[in-house]
Amino acid sequence: MEITFQTVMSQVMLGLNNGVFYAILSLGLAVIFGLLNIVNFAHGALYMLGAYVALLGYTTLGPLIGMPDFHLNYWAALLVAPMVVGALGMAIERTMLRRLYKFDHLYGLLLTFGLALIIQGVFTNFFNVSGDPYDAKPEILNGAVSLGFMMFPKYRLWVIVISLAVCFGTWFVIERTKLGSYLRAGTENPELVKAFGVNVPLMITLTYGYGVGLAAFAGVLAAPIYSVSPVMGAEMIITVFAVVVIGGMGSIMGAIVTGLLLGVVEGFTKVVYAPASSTVIFLIMVVVLLVKPAGLFGRES
Amino acid sequence: MSDAVAKEMLKISGLHAWYGESHILHGVDLAVGEGELVTLLGRNGAGRTTILKSIMGLVGRRAGSITVQGSETIGMATHRIAHLGLGYCPEERGIFSSLSVEENLLLPPVVKSGGMSVEEIYEMFPNLKERRGSMGTRLSGGEQQMLAMARILRTGARLLLLDEITEGLAPVIVQALGRLIKQLKEKGFTIILVEQNFRFAAPLADRHYVIEHGAIAEMIVKDELAGSMERLNRYLGV
C-alpha cells in the first residue's frame, strides 16, 4: 500500500473505530477493578452476551412470546441489552463474587474466567461459531458521509461518537460528581466509607452491574459491524487485556486514552506494515511491562 | 460515677473481638453517658483501637453486646451503625487522596439532623476553606487531622470516636485540637478518645478507662486521677 495522507487517515479512522471498543471495554474493567479488586475475565463473554441480546431480541424474541411481528429494534437494544446483562452481572456479584472477597483476588479472577468459559461454551453449543448477521441496523445509519479526506461509513462514525460520549460521561460522573466521590473513596478505603454510613456492598453490586453493562453496550454497537458469534468476546478480550496492561489499572482516563490510542496505533501499523497490525499491541505491552510495569497511567504501589 | 450520668449513650458488655485467628478483645465492659468524655488509655497493642473499630463493626468478628442509645448493634452492618449517630476518626486519619479537601469534607452522609453546616465548619477551620480545592493528602498533617475531625462534625453524629488525634502533630496544633475538643464537649457531644498523649487527655476527660490485654484493667474518675498516677504510670509503662 502506498503511504498517502488518505490511506493513513482512513486507517487511522478505522483504528479509532476499533479503539473506541477497546476504550469502552477497558473502562468497564477499570471501574470494576477499582472497587472490587477483581480482574473481570467474564468481560468478553458479557460483551458477546450483549450482542446476542440484541440479535435474539430482533429475530427470536417475538416468535417466542407469540408475537411474530415483534422485533426489538436497535435503539431499544442499546438500552435493553446493558440492562439485561447488568442485571445478570449484579446477580453474579451477589451470589458468587461476594463470597470470594475475603480470599485472595486470584479466586475472583478464576471464578470470572470459569463463568466466561461456561457462557461461551453454552452459546457455542447453540449458535454458529462463524457468526450470524445482525440486520437491525437503522436506516438512518446506512451509507457513508464525507469527512473531507475520505468517505466514512455513517454507522462507524456513530459508534465513535456515542462511545466517546459514554466514555467521557462515565469519566465525568466518577471524577466530578458526588456519586463518583463515593466510588473513588470506596476504591481507596472501603472500610472507612462504610464507617461513614455508606452502603458499600450495594455500591459494589451496582458498580459491577454498570461495568458489565458497558460491555453489553459495546456488544450491541459491535453487532452490525462484526457478525454476532459466540467467540467474538474471546477474540476481543485478549486485546483489551493488553490495553489494560499498557494503560495500567489505576485510572479511568488512562483506560479511555490508552484504548483510543492503541486502536489508532493498530490502524497506523496497517499502513506501514500490515502483517504486524495484529501483534503491535502485544509488542507495546511487552515493552511497557519491561519499562513501566504499573502501566502508562498506573500508580506504582 | 455512672449513676450521676443522666442517659446512657453507649454500653459495651462482654465484648470479644477477633481479626482472623487472633483474639484481640477478651470481654470488655464499659459505659459512656451522654455528653461525657472518656479516654481509653493503655500501651500499644492493648486493644484500644480495636475497641473503637468494634463499635463501628470494622473487626473480623465480634461477640458480646454493644448498644448505642439502647439499640443493639452487635449484628448490625457497619453502614447502619453509623446512622445511629456515630462519627469515627481513624488513627491513620483516612483522608482520601483521590478526593479534594471539599469532597473529603462532604463525603460522609448526614446521619442525624443538627450537624454543623459547611459554612460553620469553614468558619471553625479557615485553613480548610482556603485549601478546599487541593487534593486531600496535599494538606499538612495538622490540616489533615482538622479535616478528619471536620467531616464528622457535618454529619450530625453525636457520639465521636477519636483515635490518636494528636499523634505526630506539632504542639501548637495539639493545643488547637485541645480547644476544639473542649468546645465540642461544651456543645454536648459524647466523645471517646484513644490517646497516647496523657497530658493532652487528662484535663479534658471525665473518666479514664485503662485497657490491658484486651480488657478493662481499671476505671479512674477525674477526681481520683491525682491519687492514681503511680498506678497509671505502671500500666502505661512510663
Side-chain angles (χ1 to χ4, degrees), chain B residues 100-102 122 126-136 138-140 143:
Chain B
S100 70
V101 169
E102 188 152 87
Y122 279 148
N127 278 15
L128 297 183
K129 184 173 185 180
E130 230 166 85
R131 307 209 52 187
R132 65 189 156 193
S134 318
M135 294 317 268
R138 285 292 182 82
L139 298 180
S140 70
E143 288 169 326

Short mmCIF file of all heavy atoms in Angstrom, two decimals, chain B residues 100-102 122 126-136 138-140 143:
data_model
loop_
_atom_site.label_atom_id
_atom_site.label_comp_id
_atom_site.label_asym_id
_atom_site.label_seq_id
_atom_site.Cartn_x
_atom_site.Cartn_y
_atom_site.Cartn_z
N SER B 100 -10.77 15.87 46.62
CA SER B 100 -10.33 17.19 47.05
C SER B 100 -10.71 17.38 48.51
O SER B 100 -11.45 16.58 49.08
CB SER B 100 -10.99 18.27 46.19
OG SER B 100 -12.37 18.33 46.51
N VAL B 101 -10.19 18.46 49.11
CA VAL B 101 -10.50 18.75 50.51
C VAL B 101 -12.01 18.86 50.70
O VAL B 101 -12.59 18.28 51.62
CB VAL B 101 -9.80 20.06 50.94
CG1 VAL B 101 -10.32 20.53 52.29
CG2 VAL B 101 -8.29 19.84 51.00
N GLU B 102 -12.66 19.59 49.78
CA GLU B 102 -14.10 19.77 49.93
C GLU B 102 -14.85 18.46 49.73
O GLU B 102 -15.81 18.17 50.44
CB GLU B 102 -14.61 20.83 48.96
CG GLU B 102 -16.06 21.21 49.21
CD GLU B 102 -16.38 22.63 48.78
OE1 GLU B 102 -16.72 22.83 47.61
OE2 GLU B 102 -16.27 23.53 49.63
N TYR B 122 -16.28 25.86 57.91
CA TYR B 122 -15.22 26.70 57.32
C TYR B 122 -14.86 27.85 58.25
O TYR B 122 -13.73 28.33 58.27
CB TYR B 122 -15.65 27.21 55.95
CG TYR B 122 -15.44 26.19 54.84
CD1 TYR B 122 -16.29 26.16 53.73
CD2 TYR B 122 -14.38 25.28 54.89
CE1 TYR B 122 -16.10 25.23 52.71
CE2 TYR B 122 -14.19 24.36 53.87
CZ TYR B 122 -15.04 24.34 52.79
OH TYR B 122 -14.85 23.43 51.78
N PRO B 126 -10.64 27.79 59.12
CA PRO B 126 -10.44 28.64 57.93
C PRO B 126 -9.41 28.07 56.95
O PRO B 126 -9.52 28.29 55.74
CB PRO B 126 -9.97 29.98 58.52
CG PRO B 126 -9.76 29.77 59.97
CD PRO B 126 -10.40 28.50 60.37
N ASN B 127 -8.44 27.32 57.47
CA ASN B 127 -7.44 26.71 56.57
C ASN B 127 -8.08 25.80 55.54
O ASN B 127 -7.66 25.74 54.39
CB ASN B 127 -6.45 25.87 57.38
CG ASN B 127 -5.38 26.72 58.00
OD1 ASN B 127 -5.54 27.94 58.06
ND2 ASN B 127 -4.32 26.10 58.45
N LEU B 128 -9.11 25.07 55.98
CA LEU B 128 -9.75 24.12 55.07
C LEU B 128 -10.48 24.86 53.96
O LEU B 128 -10.51 24.42 52.82
CB LEU B 128 -10.73 23.22 55.83
CG LEU B 128 -10.10 22.32 56.91
CD1 LEU B 128 -11.17 21.44 57.53
CD2 LEU B 128 -8.97 21.48 56.34
N LYS B 129 -11.06 26.01 54.31
CA LYS B 129 -11.76 26.79 53.29
C LYS B 129 -10.77 27.26 52.22
O LYS B 129 -11.02 27.15 51.03
CB LYS B 129 -12.46 27.98 53.93
CG LYS B 129 -13.29 28.76 52.92
CD LYS B 129 -14.11 29.84 53.57
CE LYS B 129 -15.01 30.48 52.52
NZ LYS B 129 -15.83 31.54 53.08
N GLU B 130 -9.63 27.75 52.73
CA GLU B 130 -8.61 28.25 51.82
C GLU B 130 -8.13 27.17 50.85
O GLU B 130 -7.85 27.44 49.70
CB GLU B 130 -7.41 28.70 52.65
CG GLU B 130 -6.89 30.07 52.36
CD GLU B 130 -5.95 30.47 53.48
OE1 GLU B 130 -4.77 30.09 53.38
OE2 GLU B 130 -6.40 31.12 54.44
N ARG B 131 -8.06 25.94 51.34
CA ARG B 131 -7.46 24.87 50.55
C ARG B 131 -8.49 23.87 50.05
O ARG B 131 -8.15 22.73 49.73
CB ARG B 131 -6.40 24.17 51.39
CG ARG B 131 -5.40 25.15 51.98
CD ARG B 131 -4.06 24.54 52.18
NE ARG B 131 -3.56 23.89 50.98
CZ ARG B 131 -2.47 23.16 50.95
NH1 ARG B 131 -1.77 22.99 52.05
NH2 ARG B 131 -2.07 22.59 49.84
N ARG B 132 -9.76 24.29 49.97
CA ARG B 132 -10.80 23.31 49.67
C ARG B 132 -10.65 22.66 48.30
O ARG B 132 -11.16 21.58 48.06
CB ARG B 132 -12.18 23.95 49.80
CG ARG B 132 -12.46 25.03 48.79
CD ARG B 132 -13.72 25.76 49.10
NE ARG B 132 -13.65 27.08 48.49
CZ ARG B 132 -14.46 28.07 48.76
NH1 ARG B 132 -15.42 27.90 49.63
NH2 ARG B 132 -14.32 29.23 48.16
N GLY B 133 -9.93 23.33 47.36
CA GLY B 133 -9.76 22.76 46.03
C GLY B 133 -8.57 21.81 45.93
O GLY B 133 -8.46 21.07 44.95
N SER B 134 -7.68 21.83 46.92
CA SER B 134 -6.49 20.95 46.85
C SER B 134 -6.91 19.51 47.06
O SER B 134 -7.94 19.24 47.64
CB SER B 134 -5.48 21.30 47.95
OG SER B 134 -5.33 22.66 48.11
N MET B 135 -6.06 18.59 46.61
CA MET B 135 -6.33 17.19 46.88
C MET B 135 -6.07 16.94 48.37
O MET B 135 -5.18 17.56 48.98
CB MET B 135 -5.46 16.27 46.02
CG MET B 135 -5.78 16.35 44.54
SD MET B 135 -7.57 16.37 44.18
CE MET B 135 -7.89 14.63 43.96
N GLY B 136 -6.85 16.02 48.93
CA GLY B 136 -6.86 15.81 50.37
C GLY B 136 -5.50 15.60 51.00
O GLY B 136 -5.18 16.19 52.03
N ARG B 138 -2.65 16.53 50.06
CA ARG B 138 -1.69 17.62 49.91
C ARG B 138 -1.61 18.48 51.16
O ARG B 138 -0.72 19.31 51.33
CB ARG B 138 -2.07 18.51 48.72
CG ARG B 138 -1.79 17.90 47.37
CD ARG B 138 -0.28 17.80 47.16
NE ARG B 138 0.05 17.27 45.87
CZ ARG B 138 0.08 18.00 44.75
NH1 ARG B 138 -0.22 19.27 44.80
NH2 ARG B 138 0.39 17.45 43.61
N LEU B 139 -2.59 18.31 52.05
CA LEU B 139 -2.60 19.10 53.27
C LEU B 139 -1.49 18.65 54.21
O LEU B 139 -1.03 17.52 54.14
CB LEU B 139 -3.95 18.92 53.99
CG LEU B 139 -5.21 19.38 53.27
CD1 LEU B 139 -6.42 19.13 54.14
CD2 LEU B 139 -5.11 20.84 52.89
N SER B 140 -1.11 19.55 55.13
CA SER B 140 -0.15 19.16 56.17
C SER B 140 -0.83 18.18 57.12
O SER B 140 -2.06 18.05 57.11
CB SER B 140 0.30 20.40 56.94
OG SER B 140 -0.77 20.87 57.72
N GLU B 143 -3.48 19.87 59.20
CA GLU B 143 -4.68 20.20 58.42
C GLU B 143 -5.49 18.94 58.11
O GLU B 143 -6.72 18.97 58.13
CB GLU B 143 -4.29 20.91 57.12
CG GLU B 143 -3.80 22.34 57.33
CD GLU B 143 -3.17 22.93 56.07
OE1 GLU B 143 -2.52 22.19 55.29
OE2 GLU B 143 -3.32 24.14 55.87
#
